[in-house]
Amino acid sequence: MAIAVISSASVHPVAASSSVELPLTIPDANAVIFLSVSQDATADQNFAPIWDSTTANSSFTLIAERGSSARYMGTYYLVNPTTGTHVVLVNGVSTIVSHGGLAAAYSGVSNATPYDTGTISAVAVAAGASTGIESTAIPSAVGDLVLSFLTVNSTSGAVLAPGVGGTVRAVSTGSGSFMGFALAEWAGAATVASTWSWPSTATTDQTFISFNVNADGGAATPVRMATRSLLGVGR
């Protein structure tokens, strides 16, 4: 079965005390939800997101987390969530200014090994970055899918654009001094260039987390390290 997106959602950053709710519709069993939580903070705030269904609340598992001088992002997954229309719930905490999130649910993903740990790339670009390009080579395979989550310190309307072959699945472009964040996906190949560009209105604190998602019935990607390159102006 080919990997296919079945539902996605994004929520613009909300105040620290507010909860983020990302509604998703899961029609069938064995889906996998991938989630990012972006925070106006320098360390993980232990949000402990859950799939808030009518029958039972299921906890997400952390994939990776990374932060810059003012923005922090964690990525999570949940296998075989309860079917129906429910919400990914991320409760607020009082120690930050704001937080927001993106979530996407996929069918055709291996429930035993949803992603390859050896392909994870978690990168934070130093404060003071200007217009630039971040590119990470992610080991993958035909039939798999590469996901990349991005958080920036964004002003309103900043265009967060994936590179060649990338499809934006969910995005929030920021407002005022709040964060902008996005999720993009690339079809699997032996190696996939997970590439992002950002404009001068997204001036500092870019954080990227990328990894390979395994197709159901396929073999895990051979362990090869992700590699990255960075081309920027004003660095």
Side-chain angles (χ1 to χ4, degrees):
M1 177 188 293
I3 298 176
V5 66
I6 53 179
S7 190
S8 62
S10 64
V11 171
H12 186 74
V14 299
S17 59
S18 300
S19 295
V20 169
E21 296 187 3
L22 296 152
L24 298 174
T25 298
I26 309 298
D28 300 302
N30 301 318
V32 177
I33 300 174
F34 293 98
L35 164 72
S36 73
V37 179
S38 300
Q39 315 161 33
D40 187 350
T42 56
D44 182 34
Q45 302 302 308
N46 299 312
F47 284 110
I50 60 172
W51 179 236
D52 190 20
S53 72
T54 55
T55 56
N57 293 332
S58 301
S59 299
F60 281 74
T61 300
L62 182 70
I63 296 173
E65 57 188 356
R66 190 65 189 267
S68 58
S69 61
R71 298 290 180 263
Y72 203 88
M73 178 170 61
T75 54
Y76 305 81
Y77 76 100
L78 175 64
V79 171
N80 195 21
T82 303
T83 57
T85 299
H86 307 294
V87 298
V88 176
L89 178 65
V90 184
N91 289 314
V93 295
S94 61
T95 54
I96 61 172
V97 176
S98 62
H99 63 292
L102 304 167
Y106 294 86
S107 62
V109 174
S110 169
N111 280 203
T113 312
Y115 68 96
D116 290 313
T117 56
T119 69
I120 296 172
S121 172
V123 176
V125 178
S130 184
T131 305
I133 299 173
E134 167 71 25
S135 183
T136 305
I138 303 295
S140 183
V142 173
D144 288 355
L145 192 69
V146 169
L147 297 185
S148 183
F149 295 88
L150 162 66
T151 295
V152 298
N153 184 8
S154 173
T155 55
S156 182
V159 177
L160 309 176
V164 175
T167 299
V168 173
R169 181 55 57 196
V171 65
S172 174
T173 56
S175 176
S177 61
F178 285 112
M179 297 170 286
F181 38 81
L183 163 62
E185 55 194 38
W186 285 259
T191 301
V192 173
S194 169
T195 302
W196 287 97
S197 64
W198 60 89
S200 58
T201 51
T203 53
T204 60
D205 305 311
Q206 296 90 10
T207 300
F208 313 82
I209 297 178
S210 308
F211 50 88
N212 183 67
V213 174
N214 289 314
D216 189 26
T221 300
V223 177
R224 291 175 286 140
M225 298 303 294
T227 57
R228 64 179 286 252
S229 61
L230 181 63
L231 303 175
V233 178
R235 295 179 181 282

